C-alpha cells in the first residue's frame, strides 16, 4: 500500500525500466521487451516523441502479453493507495473535530475522487491521441517540448519525497514490531538498543533497500499489487470495525492503552467548526493520495496495444472506474473511521494511533510494512529514471556501474532525511498542494487544450471544463501553499 501522501507511486516518466527480460509491468503482465541503451528506430509517427524517453533510453519490443481491464484496474488502485491514504484522517482533523465536519470531509473526498478519476481519463485521452507512453512525452507532444521539464520535475520531486516518507514508515513500523517482540522475550533485552528507530533504518537501508534498488530485474515484486490491495482492504475494514465496537471510546479496553488519547467528536457550535480555510490542508492530502496520473499513459498504451482508439478509451474507462471506486472506498473508510475513532488527536500515520496490544492493528502494520518494503524500489526507480535522464544529457547513457553508483547515492539522499525527521507531514502537504494540483488538475487540462489547438477542434463545453480545471488547480495550489506554510511557522 503506502504511497504519506504520497502516494503515492507517482508518475511513470519512462518505460525503460519495464523493459528488462522477466520484468512484470504495472499490471503484473510478463513482458518480453528488451532494453537497448541506444536510440530506437521507430515508425515516423512516433519517432520524434519516443526519442526523449529517459534521456534517450530506448525500447525494442516483441510481442508482450496483453494486459487486462482487471489487472490494469488493480495496478492503478495500488498506485493510488499509498501512505497518503493513512494520513487523510489527520488532514480532516486539521480543519474540524465535529460530527458535522466529518460529513463535509466525506463529501469533499468523494467529490475529489470523482474529479480525479475524470482528469485521469483525460490524460489517457491525450496519450491515445499522441501515442506517447509516459507523462513527460505526452506533455511534450501536446503542450510543447520546451516545458517538458516541468512534469519530469514534478514526478522526480514527488518520488524523492515519497521515498523519504516510505523510509520513515519502514523505520517506525519495523522498530515498533521488533520492540514488541523483544518485550515478549525478556532474555533478549540486551538487543533493545539495536532495534531503536535509527539503527533499524540504517540496517534496512544497507541490507534490504540497497540490494532491492540495485537490482536490474524487479519481476519478483509483481505480486505486491495484490498484496498491497489486500492490506488496504483489511485496513479499511479493520478501522471501521474499531470505530463501531467502542474499543477506543472512554471506558473501552484500548482507550487508556492508545499512544494518543482518543478525543471523540463533538457537535458544531458555529460554521467555522464545520468548514474553514484549513480544509485546504485536507484537499492537499487527498491530492497526494490520488497523485498517480503519471501512470495513465503507460498503462493505457499497455492495455490497448493494437486496439482502436474509441474501444481502447472505453476499456480504460472501465479500469479507471474500478480503480477509483476501490480507492475511493478505502480512502473514505480510513478517513471516516480514523477521525470518528480518535477525533482531532489523530496522528498523521493512522496506524500509530492504535494500541500496541491491539493484535488486529498489529496485523495491519505487518501488511503495510510488506507493501511499503517491496513498493519502495518501484517508486525509487521513478526517481532514478528522472535523474538518469538529466545526467545522460551531458554524460551520455550510463553503464551498469554508473547506474549502481547513482542508485546508491540517491538511496542515501532519500534515507538521510528519514534519519533526522520524525514527521514531514507539512512538507508533504505543501508539495502535494503544489504538484498535486499540477498533476491532477492543471496538466490534464493543458494537454487536452494543447491537442485541441493542434487539431483546430472547437468544443465550447470541453474548453470551459479545461479552464475551470486549470483555475481550480492554480487556486487550490496557491491557497494550499499559503495555508501549509502558515501552519509550519
Amino acid at each position: 500500500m503506502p504511497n504519506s501522501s504520497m502516494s503515492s507511486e507517482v508518475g511513470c516518466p519512462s518505460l525503460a525500466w519495464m523493459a528488462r527480460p522477466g520484468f512484470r509491468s504495472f499490471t503484473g503482465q510478463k513482458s518480453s521487451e528488451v532494453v537497448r541503451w541506444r536510440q530506437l528506430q521507430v515508425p515516423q509517427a512516433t519517432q520524434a516523441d519516443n526519442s526523449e524517453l529517459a534521456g534517450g533510453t530506448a525500447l525494442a519490443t516483441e510481442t508482450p502479453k496483453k494486459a487486462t481491464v482487471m489487472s490494469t484496474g488493480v495496478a492503478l488502485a495500488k498506485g493510488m493507495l499509498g501512505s497518503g491514504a493513512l494520513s487523510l484522517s489527520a488532514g480532516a482533523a486539521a480543519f474540524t473535530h465535529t460530527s458535522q465536519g466529518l460529513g463535509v470531509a466525506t463529501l469533499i473526498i468523494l467529490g475529489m475522487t470523482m474529479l480525479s478519476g475524470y482528469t485521469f481519463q483525460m490524460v489517457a485521452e491525450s496519450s491515445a491521441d499522441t501515442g506517447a507512453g509516459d507523462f513527460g512525452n505526452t506533455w511534450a507532444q501536446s503542450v510543447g517540448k520546451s516545458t517538458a521539464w516541468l512534469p519530469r520535475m514534478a514526478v522526480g520531486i514527488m518520488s524523492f519525497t515519497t521515498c523519504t516518507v516510505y523510509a520513515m514508515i519502514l523505520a517506525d513500523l519495523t522498530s515498533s514490531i521488533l520492540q514488541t517482540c523483544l518485550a515478549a522475550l525478556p532474555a533478549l533485552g540486551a538487543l533493545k538498543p539495536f532495534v531503536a528507530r535509527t539503527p533499524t533504518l540504517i540496517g534496512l537501508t544497507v541490507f534490504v533497500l540497497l540490494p532491492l534498488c540495485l537490482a536490474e530485474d524487479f519481476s519478483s515484486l509483481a505480486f505486491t499489487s495484490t498484496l498491497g490491495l489486500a492490506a488496504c482492504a483489511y485496513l479499511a475494514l479493520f478501522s471501521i470495525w474499531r470505530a463501531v465496537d467502542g474499543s477506543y471510546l472512554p471506558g473501552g479496553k484500548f482507550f487508556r492503552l492508545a499512544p494518543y488519547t482518543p478525543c471523540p467528536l463533538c457537535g458544531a457550535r458555529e460554521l467555522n467548526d464545520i468548514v474553514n480555510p484549513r480544509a485546504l490542508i485536507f484537499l492537499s492530502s487527498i491530492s497526494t493520495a490520488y497523485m498517480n496520473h503519471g501512470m495513465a499513459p503507460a498503462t493505457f498504451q499497455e492495455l490497448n496495444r493494437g486496439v482502436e482508439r474509441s474501444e481502447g478509451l472505453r476499456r480504460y474507462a472501465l479500469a479507471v472506474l474500478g480503480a477509483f471506486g476501490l480507492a475511493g472506498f478505502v480512502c473514505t473508510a480510513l478517513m471516516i473511521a480514523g477521525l470518528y475513532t480518535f477525533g482531532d488527536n489523530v496522528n498523521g500515520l493512522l496506524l500509530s494511533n492504535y494500541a500496541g496490544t491491539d493484535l488486529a492493528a498489529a496485523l495491519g502494520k505487518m501488511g503495510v510494512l510488506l507493501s511499503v518494503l517491496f513498493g519502495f524500489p518501484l517508486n525509487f526507480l521513478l526517481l532514478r529514471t528522472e535523474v538518469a535522464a538529466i545526467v545522460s544529457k551531458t554524460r551520455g547513457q550510463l553503464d551498469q556501474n554508473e547506474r549502481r553508483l547513482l542508485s546508491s547515492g540517491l538511496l542515501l539522499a532519500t534515507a538521510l532525511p528519514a534519519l533526522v525527521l520524525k514527521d514531514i507531514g507539512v512538507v508533504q502537504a505543501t508539495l502535494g498542494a503544489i504538484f498535486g494540483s499540477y498533476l491532477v488538475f492543471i496538466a490534464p487540462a493543458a494537454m487536452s487544450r494543447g491537442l485541441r489547438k493542434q487539431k483546430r477542434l472547437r468544443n465550447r463545453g470541453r474548453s470551459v471544463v479545461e479552464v475551470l480545471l486549470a483555475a481550480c488547480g492554480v487556486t487550490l495550489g496557491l491557497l494550499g501553499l499559503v495555508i501549509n506554510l502558515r501552519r509550519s511557522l
Side-chain angles (χ1 to χ4, degrees):
M1 174 182 151
N3 177 8
S4 237
S5 136
M6 290 176 17
S7 107
S8 149
E9 286 121 312
V10 292
C12 175
S14 172
L15 294 178
W17 58 278
M18 295 167 56
R20 298 184 176 87
F23 182 77
R24 288 184 183 271
S25 60
F26 283 114
T27 59
Q29 302 299 318
K30 190 79 169 183
S31 173
S32 58
E33 298 171 343
V34 180
V35 168
R36 295 174 186 169
W37 296 93
R38 60 173 176 78
Q39 186 67 31
L40 177 66
Q41 298 302 316
V42 296
Q44 185 66 30
T46 59
Q47 183 175 2
D49 307 325
N50 288 316
S51 63
E52 296 183 359
L53 268 176
T57 299
L59 304 179
T61 61
E62 298 169 10
T63 309
K65 269 190 181 179
K66 288 282 289 183
T68 65
V69 171
M70 180 173 293
S71 64
T72 301
V74 168
L76 295 179
K78 173 62 174 66
M80 283 180 281
L81 293 173
S83 58
L86 296 174
S87 64
L88 290 175
S89 295
F95 79 92
T96 187
H97 57 275
T98 67
S99 54
Q100 294 91 337
L102 177 59
V104 172
T106 302
L107 293 177
I108 290 175
I109 194 171
L110 291 177
M112 283 290 290
T113 300
M114 292 186 287
L115 191 56
S116 296
Y118 177 79
T119 58
F120 198 97
Q121 185 71 9
M122 286 182 69
V123 178
E125 291 177 5
S126 298
S127 175
D129 289 337
T130 61
D134 73 89
F135 201 81
N137 280 331
T138 304
W139 174 280
Q141 294 180 54
S142 57
V143 180
K145 294 182 180 180
S146 61
T147 55
W149 58 270
L150 184 57
R152 298 197 181 281
M153 179 187 70
V155 171
I157 290 177
M158 294 312 301
S159 295
F160 181 91
T161 307
T162 299
C163 286
T164 298
V165 173
Y166 274 26
M168 294 170 61
I169 293 174
L170 286 171
D172 291 338
L173 290 181
T174 305
S175 177
S176 175
I177 292 171
L178 291 177
Q179 289 181 30
T180 300
C181 293
L182 287 183
L185 300 170
L188 300 178
L191 297 176
K192 190 172 182 179
F194 298 99
V195 298
R197 185 181 186 275
T198 298
T200 298
L201 179 55
I202 294 174
L204 283 171
T205 302
V206 174
F207 298 109
V208 180
L209 295 179
L210 181 59
L212 288 174
C213 292
L214 290 178
E216 295 290 337
D217 182 2
F218 291 83
S219 60
S220 61
L221 303 179
F223 76 99
T224 56
S225 288
T226 302
L227 174 64
L229 282 180
C232 291
Y234 171 82
L235 286 174
L237 296 175
F238 157 74
S239 62
I240 293 173
W241 175 34
R242 282 289 182 249
V244 300
D245 73 352
S247 299
Y248 287 86
L249 291 177
K253 61 180 178 179
F254 294 122
F255 178 75
R256 295 187 179 277
L257 298 175
Y260 309 95
T261 304
C263 183
L265 298 179
C266 60
R269 296 183 178 179
E270 54 186 33
L271 181 61
N272 190 62
D273 294 334
I274 301 175
V275 61
N276 51 68
R278 294 189 301 277
L280 291 169
I281 299 173
F282 182 49
L283 283 171
S284 299
S285 300
I286 301 174
S287 297
T288 304
Y290 289 151
M291 196 167 35
N292 71 330
H293 284 53
M295 289 179 66
T299 51
F300 175 82
Q301 297 296 337
E302 182 183 353
L303 176 64
N304 296 298
R305 290 190 182 96
V307 178
E308 193 268 335
R309 180 184 184 277
S310 60
E311 175 62 15
L313 288 174
R314 185 192 68 80
R315 297 176 73 232
Y316 197 72
L318 292 176
V320 171
L321 180 63
F324 276 85
L326 178 58
F329 165 74
V330 172
C331 289
T332 304
L334 290 174
M335 185 278 296
I336 292 176
L339 186 60
Y340 181 83
T341 305
F342 301 102
D344 61 356
N345 212 19
V346 64
N347 184 259
L349 182 62
L350 181 59
L351 283 172
S352 300
N353 295 272
Y354 295 98
T357 54
D358 190 341
L359 296 181
L363 290 176
K365 291 180 182 180
M366 287 297 298
V368 172
L369 177 64
L370 292 175
S371 183
V372 171
L373 178 62
F374 292 106
F376 184 98
L378 296 178
N379 193 79
F380 176 84
L381 201 48
L382 297 175
L383 171 63
R384 185 175 70 184
T385 300
E386 292 303 326
V387 177
I390 296 173
V391 174
S392 64
K393 289 183 179 180
T394 56
R395 296 176 51 89
Q397 295 300 332
L398 305 179
D399 60 29
Q400 186 180 51
N401 290 332
E402 289 173 329
R403 291 198 304 274
R404 288 183 175 179
L405 182 61
L406 177 63
S407 296
S408 301
L410 289 175
L411 180 60
L412 178 63
T414 58
L416 283 177
L419 285 172
V420 179
L421 302 174
K422 299 296 179 65
D423 182 8
I424 62 171
V426 175
V427 174
Q428 192 177 30
T430 301
L431 293 176
I434 301 172
F435 296 110
S437 298
Y438 166 73
L439 292 171
V440 176
F441 297 106
I442 300 174
M447 290 190 288
S448 174
R449 188 173 183 82
L451 287 172
R452 283 198 310 102
K453 290 179 66 177
Q454 290 178 20
K455 297 178 180 181
R456 298 181 180 179
L457 297 176
R458 294 185 178 181
N459 186 326
R460 180 171 297 180
R462 185 66 171 229
S463 179
V464 171
V465 170
E466 291 162 355
V467 172
L468 289 177
L469 285 174
C472 181
V474 172
T475 302
L476 290 178
L478 291 176
L479 291 178
L481 176 62
V482 171
I483 293 294
N484 281 292
L485 289 178
R486 290 182 60 185
R487 178 188 176 198
S488 63
L489 297 177

